[in-house]
Amino acid sequence: MQDYTAPIEDFRFLLGEVLDFDAVMAEVGKDGVDAELAVSVLEEAGRFCTKVIQPLNRAGDEQGSKLVDGNVQTPEGFAEAYRAYAEAGWTSLSGNPEFGGQGLPFVIQLWLDEMVSSASLSFGLFPGLIRGAIEAIEAHASEELKATYLPRMISGEWTGAMALTESGAGTDLGLLNTKAVPNGDNTYAVTGTKIFISSGDHDFGGNIIHLVLARLPDAPPGVKGISLFLVPKFLADANGDFTVRNGFSVGALEEKMGIHAQPTCVMNYDGATGWLVGEPHRGLAAMFVMMNAERLFVGIQGLGIASAAYQQAVAYAKERLQGRSADGARGPVAIIEHADVRKMLLTARSFVEAGRALAGWTALQLDRAHSHPDAGERAKADALVALLTPVVKAAFTDFGFESAVLAQQVFGGHGYIREWGMEQYVRDARIAQIYEGTNGVQAMDLVGRKLPLGGGAVVEGYFAMIEADIARAGEAPSAAAVGARVAEALALLRTATAELRGADTDAAGAAATDYLRLFALVSLGWMWVRMAHAAAKGDTPFHEGKRHVARLFAERVLCQAHGLATSISGGAEPIMSLSAEAF
């Protein structure tokens, strides 16, 4: 397996030629941050991922995390690598400077997440989950809790985990049974069992801060009765040092298809001491701060896996000799000469490069939502992020898994053999389509909650931005050709959007996943329009490659839009008319 190569040239192109990074930084008051600085940070991050994290990936998968005498033992080297990651400042990259963070733009953070996910998906979950917990605490916790926990979590000294799921309450959190009883001293005794808790315990040292959903004694039924509690692994002793073990433990580690190095825990809370985060019975709002942060992060995991798998497949395809050239004159030739192999590689690449661009654009909207001086612009950017969050989570993980499978296929039989590493990419990628809300749930969120935002004005504004860039792309013939295909797909998406407005539950459910994929294809196509337009101004091999892949996406991938539109128009009747007994 070759070393992972950070896509620095791509980052530089996107920041400098496609995403107007410097202009956005000026807009949000980060005048000292420009593309040159961002690229230098990403270069250093890429070196860390290649030298420190990637070497742990295969061994970590083979060793897995283990439960030893009630404590989690991560694979050899993981604890040391995490401490080096924290000491190098990577956990504090986008953190709030008020609590010790560096305050760098979220686009740098998101692309760091991509590189870490490429190097090791299991490792990347540790810092990714910390950040989700940090965001929830910062948004909803008391000033005292923030002052106590955020500086040490942002520095990486302490880690975090989200404890939401129970055996009888997965997507339907209204069914959860974990209880929280007031202790009379502003703390609560939390009792219950949670499952599927990533990073629930480990051997990195320091405290582990669990954010636990539970019910107060007077809680109303359903989701309106959920509260959120901060429950640390260690409590403060008489000297203020966190040495007192709290009342929770690891009951078991889940045996999983992939991400073996990541400890996915069954957690038992037995009267554990916790503090309320936010208002009583309003835990759902605080939880969604975590969930939305994690959903973007999980989408980037899909992108990271696709990028790493594509790199390995390209290297193999250039070296593997098999068959003869198309004219029969030469043989054996490198399999990258064969049309089917090239199609698989280019299909994966067309997602990776457009996904990276869309991730960057979305991250810049987050920066605008947090820091733009105009309240109207902040609200507009925040709505766009809300619109795109289920799309990034679901589509990036779907396309990421599909890209990993394509890359595995390039290896032929060797792709199925452990020593080449491709089967691990496929196994690891699969979970991203499931956790943090399955992709079907994301699709229903898009159709049911996000399309109606602003009375439909948010999605219409998004479509208008795409149309404006298509019009600008007409300046360059190569970009105009891509733009024409994207405009055609956008017209189909507009029709599907109109069809789903006011649709009943069955109709929405029948169409949702197809609609989300169509939405994602148009969005990725939009990024290819922007990249093709920028690449038309350059004459380097890099720019030529962008123009070619843009054409490939427009002509060989975006054509899926027609089939998806037809499926959406088919309605719910073919799906729902068969009785349950007939299955």
Side-chain angles (χ1 to χ4, degrees):
M1 176 174 277
Q2 71 163 20
D3 288 344
Y4 168 68
T5 301
I8 302 302
E9 192 173 10
D10 221 25
F11 293 147
R12 183 178 288 111
F13 169 68
L14 292 172
L15 291 171
E17 301 179 54
V18 179
L19 297 178
D20 301 320
F21 178 76
D22 289 359
V24 175
M25 291 300 100
E27 261 190 298
V28 300
K30 294 182 183 291
D31 297 319
V33 179
D34 58 16
E36 183 179 356
L37 173 65
V39 170
S40 67
V41 173
L42 290 165
E43 282 181 318
E44 187 60 35
R47 282 190 285 271
F48 189 96
C49 290
T50 298
K51 294 179 180 179
V52 180
I53 300 177
Q54 189 199 19
L56 302 174
N57 191 44
R58 180 174 170 184
D61 181 64
E62 292 174 346
Q63 292 177 26
S65 284
K66 297 178 174 62
L67 190 60
V68 180
D69 297 328
N71 298 303
V72 170
Q73 184 180 90
T74 58
E76 183 179 346
F78 266 62
E80 294 79 6
Y82 175 77
R83 286 193 286 270
Y85 185 89
E87 289 167 6
W90 298 119
T91 59
S92 66
L93 192 69
S94 61
N96 187 341
E98 181 182 347
F99 301 104
Q102 300 176 53
L104 286 172
F106 197 70
V107 65
I108 302 177
Q109 177 68 67
L110 220 57
W111 283 341
L112 167 62
D113 292 340
E114 180 201 329
M115 292 187 287
V116 174
S117 297
S118 290
S120 171
L121 201 70
S122 288
F123 181 92
L125 272 163
F126 291 104
L129 287 162
I130 299 170
R131 201 167 63 251
I134 286 169
E135 292 197 20
I137 293 169
E138 188 172 347
H140 290 280
S142 67
E143 294 303 316
E144 183 180 359
L145 288 177
K146 291 179 189 180
T148 301
Y149 291 95
L150 288 181
R152 291 180 173 183
M153 294 177 75
I154 287 173
S155 72
E157 178 187 354
W158 291 355
T159 58
M162 305 190 316
L164 314 180
T165 305
E166 299 178 11
S167 60
T171 300
D172 189 353
L173 290 170
L175 300 176
L176 68 82
N177 291 311
T178 298
K179 303 296 183 185
V181 178
N183 289 323
D185 59 356
N186 204 35
T187 69
Y188 297 80
V190 178
T191 301
T193 297
K194 300 287 186 176
I195 64 171
F196 303 158
I197 310 306
S198 300
S199 303
D201 191 48
H202 51 68
D203 52 1
F204 294 177
N207 216 341
I208 305 175
I209 314 307
H210 287 217
L211 292 182
V212 184
L213 288 180
R215 292 186 182 281
L216 292 166
D218 61 345
V223 295
K224 293 181 179 180
I226 297 173
S227 299
L228 184 67
F229 298 87
L230 186 155
V231 185
K233 180 176 180 179
F234 294 105
L235 303 169
D237 59 23
N239 298 319
D241 299 320
F242 286 78
T243 61
V244 179
R245 188 73 167 83
N246 204 352
F248 66 79
S249 60
V250 182
L253 291 184
E254 307 286 3
E255 296 290 337
K256 310 185 297 289
M257 173 181 174
I259 55 168
H260 293 155
Q262 170 58 220
T264 306
C265 305
V266 175
M267 300 300 308
N268 295 321
Y269 302 90
D270 186 14
T273 300
W275 286 262
L276 183 67
V277 176
E279 299 177 23
H281 318 313
R282 297 295 302 276
L284 206 60
M287 182 206 73
F288 270 111
V289 173
M290 289 187 292
M291 290 292 286
N292 286 332
E294 294 305 320
R295 283 170 176 174
L296 286 175
F297 169 65
V298 169
I300 301 307
Q301 288 185 312
L303 175 62
I305 284 281
S307 177
Y310 167 76
Q311 285 188 18
Q312 298 296 331
V314 168
Y316 182 82
K318 288 179 177 179
E319 296 175 357
R320 173 68 167 169
L321 302 179
Q322 193 81 30
R324 304 190 67 80
S325 60
D327 61 6
R330 295 175 292 112
V333 296
I335 62 172
I336 200 165
E337 291 196 32
H338 301 319
D340 183 59
V341 171
R342 293 170 71 90
K343 182 177 75 171
M344 290 189 286
L345 292 172
L346 286 168
T347 298
R349 177 175 170 177
S350 72
F351 158 63
V352 168
E353 295 182 3
R356 186 174 294 136
L358 186 59
W361 186 88
T362 304
L364 287 174
Q365 299 312 305
L366 269 170
D367 287 317
R368 296 180 82 250
H370 291 159
S371 305
H372 199 284
D374 182 86
E377 289 299 315
R378 290 197 301 273
K380 178 181 175 182
D382 189 58
L384 287 169
V385 173
L387 175 68
L388 284 173
T389 293
V391 178
V392 169
K393 193 283 180 185
F396 280 30
T397 57
D398 281 346
F399 290 135
F401 178 75
E402 292 165 19
S403 296
V405 171
L406 287 172
Q408 181 189 39
Q409 189 74 14
V410 169
F411 279 73
H414 291 298
Y416 200 68
I417 302 302
R418 188 167 184 79
E419 70 174 287
W420 292 89
M422 302 308 292
E423 55 86 33
Q424 184 187 345
Y425 287 133
V426 174
R427 287 186 289 104
D428 284 356
R430 188 64 184 90
I431 184 56
Q433 296 170 287
I434 298 170
Y435 59 16
E436 302 303 340
T438 65
N439 287 358
V441 169
Q442 303 306 312
M444 288 299 290
D445 179 48
L446 174 65
V447 170
R449 294 190 178 93
K450 301 306 168 58
L451 293 187
L453 286 173
V458 175
V459 71
E460 288 300 325
Y462 182 72
F463 293 162
M465 285 191 291
I466 298 174
E467 288 172 333
D469 279 339
I470 291 171
R472 278 190 288 270
E475 301 166 6
S478 58
V482 175
R485 294 297 181 99
V486 176
E488 185 179 322
L490 178 58
L492 296 171
L493 179 59
R494 279 189 175 279
T495 299
T497 303
E499 290 175 357
L500 288 176
R501 284 198 178 100
D504 63 28
T505 301
D506 283 346
T513 55
D514 288 334
Y515 180 85
L516 186 144
R517 190 177 182 94
L518 175 58
F519 196 107
L521 286 170
V522 171
S523 299
L524 295 171
W526 174 35
M527 290 296 109
W528 275 119
V529 169
R530 296 185 67 152
M531 288 189 285
H533 189 210
K537 303 170 187 176
D539 57 2
T540 68
F542 177 88
H543 291 96
E544 181 183 5
K546 289 293 183 188
R547 294 193 293 270
H548 277 281
V549 181
R551 178 186 173 192
L552 177 282
F553 182 86
E555 296 183 5
R556 299 303 299 261
V557 179
L558 196 54
C559 54
Q560 296 174 29
H562 293 276
L564 292 166
T566 299
S567 178
I568 293 165
S569 297
E573 199 277 335
I575 295 171
M576 301 305 298
S577 60
L578 187 65
S579 68
E581 292 74 22
F583 279 83

